[in-house]
Amino acid sequence: MKDFLAISDYSPKQIQEMLDLAVELKAEWKSGGNKPILKNKVLAMIFQKPSLRTRVSFDMAMRHLGGDALYLSPAEIGLGKRESIADVARVMEGYVDAIMARVFEHEHVIELAKWAQIPVINGLSDYNHPCQAMADALTIQEKFGNLKGLNIAFIGDGNNVAVSLMHICTKLGANFTIASPVGYELPENPVKLAFEFAKESGSIIKLLNNPHEAVKNAQVIYTDTWTSMGQEEEEKIRQKVFPPYQVNSKLVSEADPNVIVMHCLPAHRGQEITDEVADGFHSALFPQAHNRLHAQKAILVRLLAKG
Ligand code: CP
Ligand code: NVA
């Protein structure tokens, strides 16, 4: 596999191997530092949208592994605007060793990967967020040992983060439940894929509208913003629709007593999650954010350190 564009492209075995590598690289880093296995390698990071975690964690992952990263802001490149994606890909492959791209349209990261002979990593698109899902699985694994048989409940918008979470859960045998408002459910195609993965792994998938039903017996409650980047013009209406889907202390109290609460961040405190939950006993928000570093090191090593 040249690229890392979607969880659905990888087998359960490949995903688990990357998670195992992330565990090893995290332990190595904690005990003094990583070996420079990506020495002289440079990752170009193309951003069409803002970022804190993706930008800083990829940059630091490259540095820890002896390589370097180059940040290209939304004001630069003009992917598909100033220049065609095919031309950008073929120019970049002569300068750098891999590209990480955060794009609006998922097709654009696919197009970049198609034309570039170097690895391309999807750093979030309107469709999915696979690097986030790897960090999420690592975080859940650290808490519960592995994902098999766990009940994971996503509360809110059937968005890019939900798609990748659903796919990693159903690849690795976790039960995935989502509760979204009517009209904001997950798209049909990724759900179909998830049911295929579940046939292999034994995961149970539930697509609901009631958040209270969704969190029953959940070991993980996950939420994300009600309005993703690129949907700003829908914000007003979404603010009216989503309040019943807030992850607050009452909702958390309806889950398994050992539940952890996750959020990919940035959080809109007082909207999809309350301060009390985000900073409370069950919160895994910051270990989860920190695990982006370790999960992405494994992705980078898997794509760049061959031979
Ligand atoms: N979770 C996440 O991808 O955060 P950023 O948008 O800050 O990169
Ligand atoms: N769903 C959010 C995730 C941000 C990391 C968005 O796309 O804006």
Side-chain angles (χ1 to χ4, degrees):
M1 202 75 72
K2 176 176 81 70
D3 309 299
F4 188 78
L5 303 182
I7 295 294
S8 51
D9 294 337
Y10 281 82
S11 71
K13 185 166 174 275
Q14 288 171 323
I15 295 168
Q16 194 55 57
E17 279 169 5
M18 274 192 280
L19 290 171
D20 294 346
L21 179 59
V23 171
E24 269 174 46
L25 291 166
K26 183 171 179 177
E28 184 184 71
W29 177 68
K30 287 207 156 188
S31 64
N34 291 124
K35 294 189 194 83
I37 36 181
L38 298 186
K39 191 165 187 283
N40 296 329
K41 303 277 187 194
V42 176
L43 174 74
M45 307 190 293
I46 301 175
F47 282 91
Q48 291 189 323
K49 301 173 182 174
S51 168
L52 166 62
R53 281 145 291 273
T54 306
R55 180 192 170 165
V56 180
S57 58
F58 264 110
D59 194 330
M60 293 313 296
M62 286 304 292
R63 294 186 202 199
H64 289 172
L65 294 166
D68 213 338
L70 192 66
Y71 171 68
L72 297 155
S73 79
E76 287 153 296
I77 297 208
L79 200 63
K81 289 200 179 94
R82 181 170 182 265
E83 201 164 355
S84 79
I85 294 175
D87 286 357
V88 170
R90 287 174 293 175
V91 170
M92 296 277 274
E93 70 189 16
Y95 299 150
V96 298
D97 301 281
I99 300 170
M100 192 281 299
R102 166 167 287 193
V103 297
F104 283 101
E105 286 172 52
H106 187 64
E107 282 308 313
H108 288 177
V109 74
I110 293 180
E111 176 87 355
L112 198 57
K114 184 181 124 191
W115 286 97
Q117 285 179 33
I118 55 175
V120 173
I121 299 171
N122 175 2
L124 179 142
S125 72
D126 59 352
Y127 171 65
N128 65 356
H129 197 1
C131 296
Q132 182 67 53
M134 291 298 289
D136 299 341
L138 179 62
T139 310
I140 297 168
Q141 191 177 280
E142 283 175 348
K143 169 74 183 175
F144 297 104
N146 66 60
L147 274 75
K148 194 120 199 119
L150 289 177
N151 299 323
I152 298 178
F154 187 99
I155 307 299
D157 191 20
N159 67 12
N160 45 9
V161 170
V163 164
S164 292
L165 184 70
M166 171 175 66
H167 284 167
I168 208 157
C169 285
T170 50
K171 286 273 183 184
L172 299 181
N175 301 321
F176 178 80
T177 300
I178 184 166
S180 315
V182 174
Y184 295 90
E185 292 97 343
L186 280 161
E188 205 177 301
N189 285 343
V191 169
K192 271 194 201 147
L193 275 178
F195 275 101
E196 278 173 32
F197 305 150
K199 266 191 227 153
E200 297 290 313
S201 67
S203 299
I204 298 165
I205 302 169
K206 289 186 196 159
L207 309 168
L208 308 176
N209 299 116
N210 184 334
H212 302 281
E213 196 183 335
V215 300
K216 259 185 231 159
N217 301 319
Q219 283 88 35
V220 176
I221 296 177
Y222 200 119
T223 192
D224 184 17
T225 183
W226 295 337
T227 308
S228 286
M229 293 179 277
Q231 300 174 329
E232 289 76 9
E233 76 286 357
E234 295 175 28
E235 188 165 356
K236 269 205 180 114
I237 173 92
R238 285 170 173 266
Q239 294 286 348
K240 288 198 184 119
V241 172
F242 277 90
Y245 294 80
Q246 183 184 68
V247 174
N248 51 36
S249 297
K250 162 90 176 56
L251 194 69
V252 173
S253 74
E254 296 168 22
D256 185 292
N258 288 321
V259 69
I260 58 168
V261 177
M262 302 180 73
H263 189 312
C264 59
L265 302 178
H268 305 82
R269 288 159 174 264
Q271 295 184 33
E272 74 271 7
I273 193 164
T274 58
D275 281 333
E276 204 181 0
V277 171
D279 301 325
F281 175 75
H282 297 283
S283 173
L285 267 54
F286 298 106
Q288 177 189 2
H290 298 161
N291 275 337
R292 293 289 300 275
L293 177 67
H294 312 295
Q296 288 160 194
K297 277 183 189 172
I299 296 166
L300 289 164
V301 169
R302 167 81 167 68
L303 298 180
L304 277 169
K306 282 175 268 169

